[in-house]
Amino acid sequence: MSSDTVGSDHDTFDVIVIGGGPAGENAAHYAIAGSDRTAALIEHELVGGECSYWACMPSKALLRPAQILGAARHMPGVEEKITAYGVHVADVLARRDAFTHRRDDSSQVLWADAIGIDVLRGHARITGRCAVSVDGDRPRTLRARHAVVLATGTVATVPDAPGLRAALPWTSRDATNLVEIPRRVLLVGGGVVACETATWLRQLGVEELTVVVRGARLLPRVEPFAAAAVTDMFGRHGIDVRFRTEIRNVARDDTRDTGIGRIHGGPATVDLDDGSTVEVDEIVVAAGRRPATEGLGLGAVGLEAGAATSVDDHLNVTGADGTWLYAVGDVAGRAALTHMGKYQARVCGDVIAARAEGRDLDHPRYRATADHDQVPQVIFTEPEIASVGHTAASARAAGIDVEVLEVDLAVAGSALARDDFTGHAALVVDRATDTLAGATFAGTEVAELVHAATVALVGKVPLDTLWHAVPAYPTVSEVWLRLLETRRP
């Protein structure tokens, strides 16, 4: 029994999780699995969270059809059968809606109920140690015997440029759940969300797409060759990318809140600080996100109200008294990726369970370590970018003496995959240990290459040992052999 336990009544649970996205679901599940412990999952929107309805699932459903069409168009014997110029938009949107269940979370609620998690609707607020109030249809005050877990995620930010917020621009939620295809779009941002959004907007029929990037390049945290490949492809698709550019002013007539994914009024006139003016039918803002902690009551337990949280490797919130308060997922401030949030949640749930049962935490499974510098990610642009760990630049900035191995993705497996297969790969090798510090693959459908690199990095496999991990022929994984061959004397 944890030292942070409290008394019991009908509104007392062993674990209270605030936020019903993938991270919250996993934290609750792991904390009570195989026991008689109880868990409450508090969600004011949809159980399943941002990923299920407004991010990962709908975005990938929008991107995949055009990828398949592109592959077919570059395969002799198949390309002759393709007559349509682009995808059938209505069918693509219908398939997306099937994956998001048209934003109906009833199946997620049934899953939670089946494994013993109570779903409570409403906004949650921490009112004290192990105490949470819920302001839903039935206001109530809850107590946690063992833990409260914050899994509230992040929300999109809209820059405070004159006229921009008043113009009701789209955020990522509108872009992933679009119902109408604007003919002309201004997209603000150059990160992952912005680049993926630009990819599917163009594929779905946006005719004029201007991307405004405050910095000097797209995707500043990836290897330069990978960002350059996406930039080049944008150019080939007629996407106008403006670097070192910001919005100076926005004017829009007949602005209306027409609903998610619908054009929010009449045309907008956007003045940019490069001296140009762009007239568009919709503005899409993908310029960053902030932790969803506003109104969460952090001040009641000595933390800064509305601020970001930080956590230790047990996922306990630093600055909180005791070990009862945890944070997982984007709100934890470590790695804003769904799979990393779920990873943190699994660790967090196991830690809560171990403490509840009086077990010690002297085991690797009770520490989140992968989200420091072993984070895998796939960016589903054209071309795809799959990476894990450090880039060469970030490794050097961390004081690691590195060797970089690079080759083009030109092997038998890639040549057979499709006639236009292109790409480049790089391994960042820690000279001191002769193990991977990072890897990046940029090319045609390279997403499935990254897990092998992740295993090698997490397992600290020496490159001399990787030489004996023979890639099957003919597959794209042959690139591993070509990378290792660059080191032969």
Side-chain angles (χ1 to χ4, degrees):
M1 184 75 63
S2 166
S3 60
D4 292 316
T5 58
V6 299
S8 174
D9 59 43
H10 68 285
D11 268 353
T12 296
F13 295 85
D14 290 293
V15 183
I16 299 171
V17 179
I18 304 174
E25 291 174 323
N26 275 265
H29 185 193
Y30 272 65
I32 67 172
S35 75
D36 61 357
R37 287 186 293 276
T38 58
L41 186 67
I42 307 168
E43 176 55 58
H44 71 279
E45 290 189 306
L46 297 174
V47 177
E50 200 79 16
C51 178
S52 297
Y53 306 102
W54 297 289
C56 319
M57 299 302 287
S59 66
K60 304 316 171 283
L62 292 172
L63 288 162
R64 185 57 180 159
Q67 291 176 333
I68 293 172
L69 181 62
R73 286 193 172 281
H74 293 90
M75 182 60 66
V78 178
E79 61 178 333
E80 297 83 0
K81 299 293 184 181
I82 304 296
T83 57
Y85 173 72
V87 298
H88 190 277
V89 173
D91 288 346
V92 171
L93 299 188
R95 183 173 183 267
R96 172 207 61 194
D97 292 343
F99 274 101
T100 62
H101 301 282
R102 296 185 177 275
R103 299 198 294 275
D104 177 356
D105 68 351
S106 56
S107 63
Q108 299 283 89
V109 174
L110 287 173
W111 168 84
D113 183 65
I115 62 171
I117 298 172
D118 283 15
V119 174
L120 308 182
R121 301 288 189 176
H123 287 86
R125 181 179 182 85
I126 297 171
T127 57
R129 182 188 181 93
C130 295
V132 177
S133 66
V134 184
D135 69 353
D137 293 338
R138 178 194 161 196
R140 55 200 292 193
T141 298
L142 312 179
R143 299 286 290 174
R145 293 190 185 92
H146 300 294
V148 174
V149 182
L150 308 180
T152 51
T154 56
V155 293
T157 58
V158 177
D160 192 21
L164 179 58
R165 293 176 182 171
L168 299 183
W170 280 8
T171 65
S172 58
R173 287 193 170 193
D174 297 282
T176 56
N177 284 268
L178 79 176
V179 179
E180 302 171 325
I181 310 295
R183 188 177 72 82
R184 303 166 301 173
V185 171
L186 179 78
L187 174 61
V188 181
V192 174
V193 174
C195 289
E196 290 189 350
T197 301
T199 301
W200 78 66
L201 287 177
R202 192 73 176 97
Q203 292 169 344
L204 291 176
V206 171
E207 296 176 17
E208 299 177 16
L209 180 54
T210 304
V211 179
V212 174
V213 184
R214 183 172 59 181
R217 54 170 273 198
L218 298 175
L219 302 169
R221 296 184 181 180
V222 307
E223 292 284 8
F225 72 82
V230 174
T231 305
D232 291 346
M233 188 59 72
F234 277 8
R236 277 182 247 167
H237 284 300
I239 300 173
D240 180 9
V241 182
R242 313 274 187 95
F243 294 113
R244 296 188 177 90
T245 304
E246 296 185 69
I247 291 176
R248 179 178 292 167
N249 185 71
V250 177
R252 186 177 203 174
D253 294 329
D254 192 28
T255 303
R256 289 168 286 133
D257 184 0
T258 53
I260 292 177
R262 297 186 181 276
I263 296 173
H264 292 168
T269 301
V270 184
D271 297 325
L272 302 175
D273 65 1
D274 64 1
S276 65
T277 297
V278 182
E279 187 172 271
V280 296
D281 300 299
E282 194 52 82
I283 303 166
V284 180
V285 176
R289 301 180 68 84
R290 58 180 172 79
T293 57
E294 194 70 37
L296 196 53
L298 297 182
V301 291
L303 301 173
E304 184 180 350
T309 61
S310 62
V311 296
D312 62 21
D313 284 352
H314 293 313
L315 285 312
N316 281 121
V317 175
T318 56
D321 181 29
T323 58
W324 62 276
L325 186 61
Y326 300 76
V328 295
D330 292 5
V331 77
R334 287 195 174 195
L337 296 162
T338 297
H339 49 278
M340 296 311 295
K342 292 168 72 172
Y343 161 74
Q344 293 166 358
R346 294 191 294 268
V347 174
C348 174
D350 281 343
V351 168
I352 293 169
R355 284 177 169 157
E357 295 168 9
R359 293 183 277 118
D360 67 58
L361 302 180
D362 188 21
H363 191 282
R365 71 181 296 172
Y366 300 126
R367 290 190 174 275
T369 55
D371 51 5
H372 294 303
D373 52 18
Q374 299 173 340
V375 178
Q377 180 176 20
V378 178
I379 304 172
F380 293 91
T381 46
E382 183 185 351
E384 288 180 348
I385 302 171
S387 63
V388 63
H390 282 291
T391 62
S394 69
R396 290 175 179 132
I400 304 172
D401 179 20
V402 297
E403 174 186 7
V404 181
L405 313 180
E406 297 187 68
V407 296
D408 287 335
L409 287 168
V411 295
S414 63
L416 286 164
R418 52 190 278 182
D419 282 4
D420 67 332
F421 197 108
T422 61
H424 193 75
L427 301 182
V428 179
V429 182
D430 183 339
R431 292 182 190 272
T433 61
D434 198 40
T435 60
L436 289 189
T440 298
F441 306 90
T444 310
E445 299 183 33
V446 296
E448 300 302 334
L449 289 174
V450 74
H451 193 59
T454 304
V455 172
L457 192 155
V458 173
K460 304 185 186 310
V461 182
L463 263 65
D464 282 347
T465 301
L466 284 179
W467 181 257
H468 300 283
V470 181
Y473 179 89
T475 67
V476 182
S477 292
E478 290 175 80
V479 68
W480 281 92
L481 174 59
R482 300 295 170 245
L483 285 162
L484 296 174
E485 283 180 334
T486 65
R487 303 183 93 210
R488 293 187 70 202

